[in-house]
Amino acid sequence: MQSDCPLVMRKIFLVVLLQTVTINLAISQRVQWRSFSFTEENEFFNIFQHGIDRFYTQGLQFEFKYSVSRSRLFERLMIPLKGGSTNIYSLSIFQKIYTPGRTDLYDYVGDHPYVGTLFLSQGLDSYDSVKQSRLVSRLDAGVIGPAALAKNTQDLFHEVINNDPAIALNKELRNDIFLNYSMTIETDLTRHGKKFRIESKGEVNLGTALVSAIPGINFEYGPWYRSDRTFKWQLFFRPEVRVVAFNAMLQGGILNQAYADEAYSRFFLHRIKPLVYSHSTGIRLSYRRYQMLYRQVNLTREFTHQKPHYYSTVQFVFPLGGNN
């Protein structure tokens, strides 16, 4: 029965994905497509620690952004700012892969579990140009465990870069539910800065995958805002503190915790760090409506005995139509 579970969950996820795409194509008359983006996150792209292959090791996202004449379905679960805000919706699919600090060992008790996630996201970026405020709301729904196909992706990537596969990747956490809702609010504190901006940030995550709150601040420099230039650039530094109450990627997920036996639950991290500091440093480039972003993210320990972690993000944005 357990061996059939990943196949059933994969079929369910594919059906949901196909239905979501079909629905959005069917209502294309009310939709104005804005952009398509491809995002790759991997410690392989680090400047200071190249290819360390541990903890959060791989993330892949495909995202479409669009505006609508009237909201429907899951779009109505998103929260816009009041007044004359500009509302841009998004629909994406995201896969994330996590491994222990040592991938050459069969027994990784006390280390980060092997776990993959695969989920669909419905989002809304609501921006008020007068108050210089942004509210981003997002609903994520998918799976945690073998149904996320992390092993397939990891094996393929390691084959491409000619790296040894993780020995115990087949011992990843069992299938579980990934269902989360998040809200992020950002406000410009410098009031319409042309080159230098300081923004306050607050984020809340609630669901079966992650329960956390994140206060932070964004420092940004460059002629990105209020500029008519064809080519634009921006440097940024974004420190934040994560207050974490629950993290399924470390603690096993709600179903796993409810039904796991003692032998299996020893792979869970029952005690995690409630406070995690992180910062991201990077650059964003734009030519006409094409964009590229590179950033490096540094994190302190998320659990006892973990080393500080680093990974990098590379993102490309392509226009599809309309005005961004």
Side-chain angles (χ1 to χ4, degrees):
M1 184 67 180
Q2 179 66 25
S3 60
D4 295 334
C5 188
L7 180 59
V8 172
M9 295 190 73
R10 291 177 196 176
K11 290 181 178 179
I12 293 174
F13 184 82
L14 288 174
V15 169
V16 173
L17 174 61
L18 290 174
Q19 287 182 340
T20 303
V21 173
T22 301
I23 290 172
N24 277 276
L25 290 176
I27 60 178
S28 58
Q29 290 184 350
R30 71 179 182 92
V31 171
Q32 182 180 22
W33 298 104
R34 296 300 184 114
S35 65
F36 166 75
S37 65
F38 164 80
T39 304
E40 168 68 17
E41 296 183 330
N42 201 299
E43 78 280 75
F44 185 77
F45 301 126
N46 283 345
I47 296 176
F48 302 108
Q49 291 191 345
H50 176 70
I52 52 181
D53 198 20
R54 65 186 183 210
F55 312 135
Y56 178 44
T57 183
Q58 159 74 11
L60 180 63
Q61 181 187 36
F62 299 96
E63 180 179 65
F64 289 91
K65 288 190 175 183
Y66 62 97
S67 57
V68 297
S69 57
R70 58 191 182 280
S71 60
R72 291 182 180 179
L73 301 172
F74 296 112
E75 295 165 354
R76 293 180 177 175
L77 298 177
M78 305 297 103
I79 302 175
L81 291 171
K82 296 181 180 180
S85 60
T86 301
N87 298 319
I88 304 297
Y89 291 89
S90 64
L91 183 66
S92 64
I93 183 169
F94 208 145
Q95 183 191 54
K96 294 186 176 185
I97 303 174
Y98 304 81
T99 67
R102 292 283 302 275
T103 58
D104 57 342
L105 301 176
Y106 282 99
D107 194 348
Y108 57 89
V109 173
D111 205 339
H112 198 304
Y114 284 99
V115 60
T117 67
L118 182 65
F119 54 92
L120 293 171
S121 290
Q122 174 71 72
L124 170 62
D125 187 333
S126 184
Y127 180 70
D128 188 325
S129 59
V130 177
K131 297 181 179 179
Q132 294 288 287
S133 295
R134 173 179 282 108
L135 177 62
V136 180
S137 51
R138 194 180 75 225
L139 174 65
D140 301 329
V143 293
I144 302 171
L149 306 178
K151 184 178 187 304
N152 306 67
T153 302
Q154 188 80 336
D155 288 345
L156 176 62
F157 189 79
H158 278 211
E159 183 178 347
V160 170
I161 64 175
N162 194 27
N163 197 4
D164 294 331
I167 289 179
L169 191 55
N170 60 336
K171 297 172 66 177
E172 65 180 301
L173 296 185
R174 297 170 186 168
N175 290 311
D176 214 309
I177 300 171
F178 192 111
L179 185 62
N180 249 72
Y181 193 92
S182 66
M183 293 180 60
T184 303
I185 181 74
E186 296 177 341
T187 302
D188 180 17
L189 302 179
T190 53
R191 304 302 297 174
H192 303 275
K194 291 185 178 181
K195 287 190 176 182
F196 180 71
R197 290 165 67 101
I198 301 177
E199 296 178 335
S200 63
K201 173 187 175 181
E203 178 180 333
V204 176
N205 294 277
L206 183 63
T208 66
L210 183 65
V211 178
S212 68
I214 304 175
I217 192 164
N218 303 333
F219 299 95
E220 300 173 345
Y221 178 78
W224 188 271
Y225 302 98
R226 300 172 63 85
S227 171
D228 297 327
R229 297 181 183 179
T230 301
F231 174 77
K232 293 182 284 189
W233 58 272
Q234 179 190 71
L235 301 175
F236 59 84
F237 175 68
R238 299 170 180 169
E240 61 185 35
V241 176
R242 306 180 185 183
V243 184
V244 185
F246 177 73
N247 187 337
M249 279 60 75
L250 296 172
Q251 297 172 278
I254 58 171
L255 295 182
N256 281 328
Q257 286 198 349
Y259 300 106
D261 54 35
E262 184 177 349
Y264 175 62
S265 63
R266 70 192 186 99
F267 292 103
F268 303 164
L269 292 172
H270 299 284
R271 294 183 179 180
I272 63 175
K273 295 289 185 181
L275 295 177
V276 178
Y277 168 79
S278 72
H279 65 257
S280 60
T281 308
I283 184 171
R284 185 162 57 149
L285 304 174
S286 172
Y287 179 74
R288 298 184 184 275
R289 291 171 54 215
Y290 296 88
Q291 296 182 26
M292 186 191 77
L293 177 144
Y294 174 84
R295 67 169 181 168
Q296 177 157 314
V297 181
N298 297 32
L299 297 93
T300 59
R301 294 184 299 168
E302 297 178 278
F303 58 91
T304 305
H305 306 308
Q306 184 190 29
K307 297 179 181 179
H309 185 46
Y310 311 85
Y311 68 89
S312 295
T313 299
V314 178
Q315 181 185 71
F316 298 94
V317 180
F318 305 92
L320 293 179
N323 296 317
N324 287 329

